[in-house]
Amino acid sequence: MMNEILSGNKPSTIFRSIVDDTPTISNIDLASSFREEFRKVDPLAMQVIWRWRNPGRDVREDDDQLDTLLLCLLRMAKYVN
């Protein structure tokens, strides 16, 4: 499912879909799944995902911040243009 990001879907949209399907999933689990899919991305991506404001969590990184930072890291790792 993470690879849908490469098709132009926003990371936050994909993450929210995963959370909807598995409400007990943690941000750490999301970060681990992202890392497994995109191994060349800087590990900073995991920290960005950990800090993301997932439904039910305190406000931290919002969706726009998450999308901007992760897409930048994906570009740097040459996954997207």
Side-chain angles (χ1 to χ4, degrees), residues 59 68 80:
V59 174
T68 299
V80 295

Side-chain angles (χ1 to χ4, degrees), residues 2 24-34 36 49-50:
M2 292 284 177
T24 58
I25 196 166
S26 70
N27 284 27
I28 293 171
D29 295 330
L30 288 171
S32 294
S33 294
F34 185 89
E36 285 176 27
I49 297 167
W50 293 337

Side-chain angles (χ1 to χ4, degrees), residues 1 7 10 12 16 19 25-27 30 33 37 43 45 50 53-56 60-63 66 73-74 76 79 81:
M1 185 170 220
S7 301
K10 293 181 178 180
S12 61
R16 288 199 184 280
V19 169
I25 196 166
S26 70
N27 284 27
L30 288 171
S33 294
E37 185 74 30
W50 293 337
R53 181 189 55 178
N54 179 328
R60 295 186 184 179
E61 303 287 348
D62 67 18
D63 289 356
L66 174 89
L73 292 169
L74 285 165
M76 289 172 51
Y79 280 102
N81 293 326

Side-chain angles (χ1 to χ4, degrees), residues 43-60:
L44 173 63
M46 294 186 76
Q47 293 178 29
V48 170
I49 297 167
W50 293 337
R51 294 183 50 80
W52 174 59
R53 181 189 55 178
N54 179 328
R57 293 196 62 199
D58 293 337
V59 174
R60 295 186 184 179

